Amino acid sequence: MTGKGNAEENIIYVGSKPPMSYVLAIVTQFNSGSSEVFIKARGKAISRAVDAAEITRNRFVTDAKLKDIKIGTEAVTNEEGRTSNVSSIEICLEK
Amino acid sequence: MTGKGNAEENIIYVGSKPPMSYVLAIVTQFNSGSSEVFIKARGKAISRAVDAAEITRNRFVTDAKLKDIKIGTEAVTNEEGRTSNVSSIEICLEK
């Protein structure tokens, strides 16, 4: 994640931190010149990803628009080697 | 929710029950002749709504397609009269 103009830099992975951590990451990404930011999450973090996108759009980057929202299913292997399916979301914000 | 052909019948509100309860409701709605089913949720139930849509699509109504996904913010007033914002999702499945 150190390359300049790297396409993967504008992907924010949402996990279990408070939503504002991810809002800050999204805002920073827009301020560094990105015109698109992808917000990705899986499982229970999906609601937090929606929160982060909505807080960003309503309070911090009010000219950002929802470009695209995708949902899907990913196979995840746990420590015991068992595979289970988990839902995922990808929200694309565009400025 | 008793009227025949009522447009609101094809809206499934996802709450805190297990995802399969909502999957069953969605499948029933498709089987009763609806060509579109809307799955709505707020707050933490958003991840469960995505789960329900994905399980339906992958296992039960495999010809159902994701027509549209919307996210938004709703103002909710709690028992103490205070208003807070909560994120929402609306997933439209089409057969």
Side-chain angles (χ1 to χ4, degrees), chain A residues 43-55 57-59 66 69-73 85-89 91, chain B residues 43-55 57-59 66 69-73 85-89 91:
Chain A
K44 288 187 181 170
I46 289 176
S47 354
R48 205 168 292 118
V50 175
D51 287 344
E54 283 295 297
I55 296 170
R57 230 161 50 89
N58 292 331
R59 286 202 238 156
L66 285 164
I69 307 169
K70 286 179 195 155
I71 62 173
T73 304
N85 288 327
V86 65
S87 302
S88 63
I89 198 166
I91 302 167
Chain B
K44 287 187 181 172
I46 289 175
S47 349
R48 206 168 292 118
V50 175
D51 287 344
E54 284 294 298
I55 295 169
R57 231 162 47 91
N58 292 330
R59 287 201 237 158
L66 286 164
I69 307 168
K70 285 179 194 154
I71 62 173
T73 304
N85 289 327
V86 65
S87 302
S88 62
I89 197 166
I91 302 168

Side-chain angles (χ1 to χ4, degrees), chain A residues 49-93:
Chain A
V50 175
D51 287 344
E54 283 295 297
I55 296 170
T56 303
R57 230 161 50 89
N58 292 331
R59 286 202 238 156
F60 297 97
V61 190
T62 47
D63 53 344
K65 286 181 181 64
L66 285 164
K67 191 186 181 189
D68 192 28
I69 307 169
K70 286 179 195 155
I71 62 173
T73 304
E74 294 180 15
V76 172
T77 310
N78 69 5
E79 299 122 28
E80 296 155 29
R82 265 188 293 182
T83 305
S84 56
N85 288 327
V86 65
S87 302
S88 63
I89 198 166
E90 184 187 296
I91 302 167
C92 180
L93 286 181

